[in-house]
Amino acid sequence: MQKKTINNIIKDNYQKEISIQFSLDGFSFCICNSINKELQHFTAYTFESSIATPELLLSKIEELFNQNSILNQEFENITIIHQNNLSTLVPSTLFKDEELKLYLDYNIKTLSNDFIAFDNLSQLEIKNVYIPYININNFFFQKFGEFEYKHHSTVLIDKLILHAKNNIEKQFFVNVTASNFDIVVIENSKLLFYNSFSFNTKEDFIYYILFTAEQLKLNPEDFLLSFIGDIEKDSEIYQITYQYIRNVSFINLDIPFFNEDN
C-alpha cells in the first residue's frame, strides 16, 4: 500500500471530489479540492496476486471501504475508472450505438448478458467501447448516488495526447501495472496504436514491446520509450527493456504533490 495525505481532510469543510480506479490487480483513490483542484490525498493498493473474478474484486473493495473511513464521506463529484482489457477503439465516423457488442466480438469473448458502455475520447474522434464491472458500479451507486465512470484507457489516451501536444515525432508510451501493461503510440497529436497486454514474465513483457515496434517500423536504436506506472529502474522488466531499447525514460510529473516523494 502507498498512502499520502497533506492534512486531515475528513474534517475540512471545502468541496471535495474523488477519483477511484480499480482492476483485478489493485485499487486506488485520489481526493482533491473541487474548486482549485489541489490534490489532498492519495492511496494505492497493489494486491499480492490478481483477483480471479469481478465478484471477488467487489468483496475486496468492500473490505477496503471498511478500512478507509476517508472513503465514507460526501463528495461533490465522483469519477470511477474501470481498468481491464475488455475494450476496443472505434473511429467516430464508423460508430453506431446499436453495434456495441459487434465491436467487442472482434477482440474478446462476450456474453449475452454483458453490459457494454462507451466513452468519447475528448482529444480524438474515437469511441472507446468496453465492458465495465457492473456489479462494482452498483456498489458505488449505493455508496455515493450518481457518478461518472470511464475506462482507464480513455483517461490514459486523453492525458497522453495532451502530454504529447506540439511534438511531431512518434512517441511510444508504456503504462505498467502488476500483471498488465498498455502501449500507446502517438505521432503529431494523432493516435497510431493502442493495446493492452497481460504478462507473466519479463520475456513476455519485452516481446510485446518489440513486436509492436516492429509492426510500426520503429527502430529500437532510435525511438524513445517512455514508462508510466508501476515500474522502477531496478525491476526486471525495466532491465530487459533497457537491453533491447536504446532510449528509455520515465515521464516526469509536474505535480508537486507527487514530486515530494521518491
Side-chain angles (χ1 to χ4, degrees), residues 5-14 40 69-70 73:
T5 188
I6 63 170
N7 55 25
N8 189 349
I9 65 172
I10 295 178
K11 294 181 179 179
D12 285 355
N13 58 8
Y14 70 87
Q40 298 291 314
S69 59
I70 197 172
Q73 57 180 310

Side-chain angles (χ1 to χ4, degrees), residues 89 92 120-127 157-158 161 186 189-191:
L89 300 177
S92 295
N120 293 300
L121 275 75
S122 62
Q123 306 299 318
L124 302 165
E125 291 298 315
I126 294 174
K127 310 293 187 187
I157 294 169
D158 274 342
I161 289 287
I186 296 169
S189 297
K190 302 294 184 183
L191 181 67

Side-chain angles (χ1 to χ4, degrees), residues 65-238:
F65 262 73
N66 291 331
Q67 294 175 8
N68 289 273
S69 59
I70 197 172
L71 289 168
N72 297 295
Q73 57 180 310
E74 292 186 4
F75 296 97
E76 186 175 27
N77 296 304
I78 301 101
T79 303
I80 306 300
I81 301 171
H82 293 255
Q83 183 165 1
N84 59 38
N85 57 3
L86 308 175
S87 70
T88 191
L89 300 177
V90 181
S92 295
T93 53
L94 303 177
F95 178 81
K96 295 181 180 179
D97 288 13
E98 64 270 19
E99 301 289 355
L100 297 182
K101 185 176 186 302
L102 178 65
Y103 300 136
L104 286 177
D105 282 342
Y106 285 111
N107 298 282
I108 63 174
K109 182 179 180 180
T110 61
L111 303 176
S112 59
N113 61 344
D114 280 336
F115 178 82
I116 303 174
F118 69 91
D119 297 333
N120 293 300
L121 275 75
S122 62
Q123 306 299 318
L124 302 165
E125 291 298 315
I126 294 174
K127 310 293 187 187
N128 191 2
V129 182
Y130 63 99
I131 299 175
Y133 296 140
I134 197 67
N135 63 323
I136 299 177
N137 269 2
N138 290 337
F139 168 77
F140 287 127
F141 184 77
Q142 292 172 0
K143 282 286 184 182
F144 299 124
E146 292 186 0
F147 59 87
E148 180 183 15
Y149 67 92
K150 299 178 180 180
H151 193 264
H152 85 278
S153 59
T154 300
V155 180
L156 176 67
I157 294 169
D158 274 342
K159 294 297 184 183
L160 288 177
I161 289 287
L162 287 173
H163 177 82
K165 191 176 181 180
N166 301 323
N167 192 327
I168 63 173
E169 301 295 328
K170 287 188 178 72
Q171 298 181 75
F172 195 111
F173 301 100
V174 178
N175 178 48
V176 184
T177 61
S179 61
N180 292 271
F181 67 98
D182 307 290
I183 297 179
V184 181
V185 183
I186 296 169
E187 182 181 27
N188 199 21
S189 297
K190 302 294 184 183
L191 181 67
L192 294 187
F193 181 90
Y194 168 78
N195 208 345
S196 179
F197 304 93
S198 299
F199 72 99
N200 294 312
T201 67
K202 62 181 187 296
E203 288 79 16
D204 296 337
F205 187 82
I206 193 60
Y207 169 80
Y208 289 122
I209 290 175
L210 293 176
F211 182 77
T212 300
E214 180 184 11
Q215 297 304 304
L216 297 175
K217 296 181 172 56
L218 295 172
N219 186 341
E221 294 291 317
D222 297 331
F223 78 89
L224 172 64
L225 185 153
S226 299
F227 277 125
I228 326 166
D230 187 14
I231 181 170
E232 299 182 1
K233 280 192 174 182
D234 59 358
S235 65
E236 287 186 341
I237 55 175
Y238 178 89

Side-chain angles (χ1 to χ4, degrees), residues 40-55:
Q40 298 291 314
H41 180 92
F42 173 77
T43 295
Y45 296 88
T46 300
F47 304 145
E48 291 183 3
S49 59
S50 292
I51 293 177
T53 67
E55 290 73 26

